[in-house]
Amino acid sequence: MSRLELRARADRLRAHAPHVVLCATGAGIAYLVARHVLGHEQPIFAPIAAVLGLGISYGQRLRRVGEVVVGVAIGVLVGDLLVRAFGTGAWQIALVVGLGMSVAILLRAGTLMINQIAIQGVFVTLYAQTSTGAIIGRWSDAATGGAVALVLATLVPRQQLRRPVVLAREVLETVADLLLEASSAAKDGDVERGHDALAHARGTQSRLDLLRAAASEGVDVARLAPFRGHHAAQARAVSALAVPLDRAVRNVRVLSRRLSVATDRSEVVPEELLGLVDELASATLHLAEDLGSGRRLDDAVDALAAVGLASTLVPRSSLSADVVLAQVRSATVDLLMVAGLDDAAAHDRVPPRPGEHFG
């Protein structure tokens, strides 16, 4: 195994370490509560429910806990009824699993609940512990584990709640880097660097996917940690800016591709236009810094608006230059929306060029 792969695995473990600690703690607490408070001799479903409810991510914990508890109840009920009627055996297990999963699907249950219903049905069928006390005990164990999971779910590290904002800043910094790479390669006529910039631009989708997932997870987390409403607002704001940010990244990809083509063909791209690309990169970096630090975005909006105004003064030249200019203007509108402006206000900050209508 290479050193790079070892480092990647270590980074992955480090990223998931809070989840692992929380799951381990939840399992232990759930067992102790069910064993010593409820008095159950073998409360195996309490730690299982706690681990399933907490999971390896912060998102959708409330739903996971609900699916586990309801799944246990339905699975035990179906298993108990069928064992009382038909006894135990291979075909009885098949019947319990098939019927239980069918009920879950009719109820539009999620994957976790469907699995829990099947597992509980198998357990009841195999061990035939169908006394009322055993059934209630299994369900109360699951409820105990779910309750422990919900309590621990409110203990979310501050850095995890800020993750959507951090990722948004990283995406914006990447956009700025892409713009600078593309313009620098075009200025120097460096074909290889132009190709590298284009490859870099094409690799940005995974970051955007992470951003969307983190924003959605952040909103879910904040619902379980009401005392951190500020972070909930931040997560919702990042979730809203994901769409215009995605459009901005797409426009920058097209810009990078066109500058790479122009460099390949030795086309002349006006210095004023390449300078405008650099100005957009600077304004984007300003937006990234202000968003990441929680400052007001007025200065970043002004910087982006200055790019929009300057874009009306760049003279037309070649087809490649016109395409690049169009992408600069479109990306500027998108980034103004990332900064909080609505569609109309963002377009107002990027006025039409003389004789053109920019919509």
Side-chain angles (χ1 to χ4, degrees):
M1 188 182 299
S2 68
R3 182 179 302 176
L4 187 61
E5 187 176 354
L6 281 172
R7 183 179 302 170
R9 294 190 181 194
D11 289 342
R12 187 168 184 268
L13 176 59
R14 192 178 303 112
H16 288 295
H19 301 289
V20 173
V21 171
L22 208 60
C23 282
T25 303
I29 292 176
Y31 175 84
L32 289 173
V33 171
R35 176 70 179 83
H36 297 290
V37 177
L38 300 181
H40 297 169
E41 289 296 325
Q42 294 181 317
I44 61 174
F45 293 110
I48 289 174
V51 172
L52 290 173
L54 290 167
I56 202 66
S57 68
Y58 287 110
Q60 297 185 335
R61 279 182 172 163
L62 184 59
R63 177 172 179 170
R64 288 203 301 264
V65 170
E67 288 192 352
V68 169
V69 175
V70 175
V72 169
I74 294 176
V76 169
L77 175 62
V78 172
D80 175 53
L81 292 176
L82 293 181
V83 167
R84 288 177 185 271
F86 304 111
T88 63
W91 70 268
Q92 289 91 338
I93 290 176
L95 181 61
V96 166
V97 171
L99 183 58
M101 294 182 74
S102 297
V103 170
I105 292 171
L106 287 174
L107 295 174
R108 295 187 175 182
T111 301
L112 183 57
M113 186 189 295
I114 293 173
N115 290 339
Q116 276 300 301
I117 289 173
I119 291 169
Q120 293 301 320
V122 170
F123 187 88
V124 170
T125 305
L126 284 176
Y127 292 97
Q129 296 174 352
T130 56
S131 67
T132 301
I135 293 171
I136 294 175
R138 278 193 287 274
W139 188 86
S140 62
D141 284 347
T144 299
V148 170
L150 287 179
V151 171
L152 292 181
T154 64
L155 306 177
V156 183
R158 182 176 180 274
Q159 62 267 28
Q160 189 66 31
L161 287 168
R162 275 191 49 80
R163 189 165 177 257
V165 177
V166 171
L167 286 172
R169 175 174 182 167
E170 289 177 356
V171 171
L172 286 167
E173 289 173 343
T174 299
V175 169
D177 289 342
L178 292 174
L179 290 167
L180 290 174
E181 286 177 5
S183 67
S184 177
K187 287 174 188 175
D188 298 339
D190 192 327
V191 175
E192 185 175 350
R193 284 175 61 194
H195 290 168
D196 289 343
L198 181 56
H200 187 188
R202 288 170 175 163
T204 53
Q205 190 59 46
S206 59
R207 286 179 176 270
L208 284 168
D209 293 341
L210 283 174
L211 172 61
R212 289 194 192 91
S216 176
E217 188 173 273
V219 173
D220 287 337
V221 167
R223 290 196 189 105
L224 297 177
F227 52 88
R228 287 184 169 166
H230 170 67
H231 295 289
Q234 280 188 331
R236 283 191 291 269
V238 172
S239 182
L241 66 79
V243 173
L245 184 53
D246 180 68
R247 290 200 300 263
V249 171
R250 292 175 188 273
N251 283 319
V252 172
R253 286 181 196 152
V254 175
L255 182 153
S256 299
R257 185 183 305 114
R258 197 66 211 187
L259 283 179
S260 178
V261 169
T263 304
D264 280 343
R265 297 175 179 175
S266 300
E267 295 181 25
V268 175
V269 180
E271 290 185 6
E272 302 98 319
L273 179 55
L274 295 177
L276 187 66
V277 174
D278 289 343
E279 289 179 29
L280 180 58
S282 177
T284 303
L285 192 58
H286 195 158
L287 175 60
E289 292 172 349
D290 287 353
L291 182 67
S293 62
R295 293 193 295 265
R296 291 178 60 86
L297 303 180
D298 296 348
D299 290 343
V301 168
D302 290 342
L304 289 165
V307 173
L309 182 61
S311 71
T312 65
L313 306 176
V314 176
R316 298 189 62 174
S317 55
S318 65
L319 174 62
S320 290
D322 287 349
V323 171
V324 171
L325 179 59
Q327 298 310 315
V328 167
R329 288 167 59 78
S330 294
T332 302
V333 170
D334 295 330
L335 291 168
L336 283 165
M337 294 179 69
V338 170
L341 275 64
D342 61 25
D343 184 77
H347 278 86
D348 286 344
R349 297 298 186 102
V350 185
R353 288 168 56 81
E356 296 178 358
H357 175 70
F358 178 56

